[in-house]
Amino acid sequence: MYSGAAAMALVASVAVAGLYGLHRLVALAPDALTVLPFQSGWRPEEHALSRYHVRWYLATLLFLAFDVEMLFMYPWAVVAAELGATAIVEMFLFLGAVFVAVLWAWREGALRWV
């Protein structure tokens, strides 16, 4: 009853085993400089999961705020002509709130990079 499925499983396993054996037969030993994970073959100086300075978290939040702003503005631009003046007023209120957030971030020093 299951002879067809068993035959297909056997053929698939023989094919996978053959390809694996062929790879092991013809594979070259990897060069130590080409298998390092990053930085063009330089040895890593710190762990990949090292801590970031806290100022980068604030920069990330600013980026996400502006990214979400664009998510709201693209669909608005499509329907602004249909909705009329109410859409314009709502967008200016939204942009005003974003501008207040940018002023706060500027005052807190989030836009200083050094």
Side-chain angles (χ1 to χ4, degrees), residues 18-80:
L19 287 173
Y20 177 74
L22 183 63
H23 170 71
R24 295 290 290 180
L25 184 65
V26 298
L28 299 173
D31 186 19
L33 289 178
T34 60
V35 295
L36 285 175
F38 66 106
Q39 292 186 355
S40 303
W42 296 351
R43 292 220 176 264
E45 295 178 4
E46 59 188 24
H47 194 272
L49 297 177
S50 63
R51 294 179 182 253
Y52 292 103
H53 196 277
V54 73
R55 72 173 172 233
W56 298 115
Y57 291 111
L58 194 52
T60 303
L61 288 176
L62 280 173
F63 169 76
L64 288 175
F66 288 116
D67 198 35
V68 169
E69 174 191 356
M70 287 296 111
L71 285 175
F72 286 130
M73 288 183 78
Y74 284 132
W76 171 83
V78 172
V79 297

Side-chain angles (χ1 to χ4, degrees), residues 90-102:
E90 287 175 0
M91 184 50 70
F92 275 109
L93 288 174
F94 175 70
L95 289 176
V98 170
F99 185 68
V100 167
V102 168

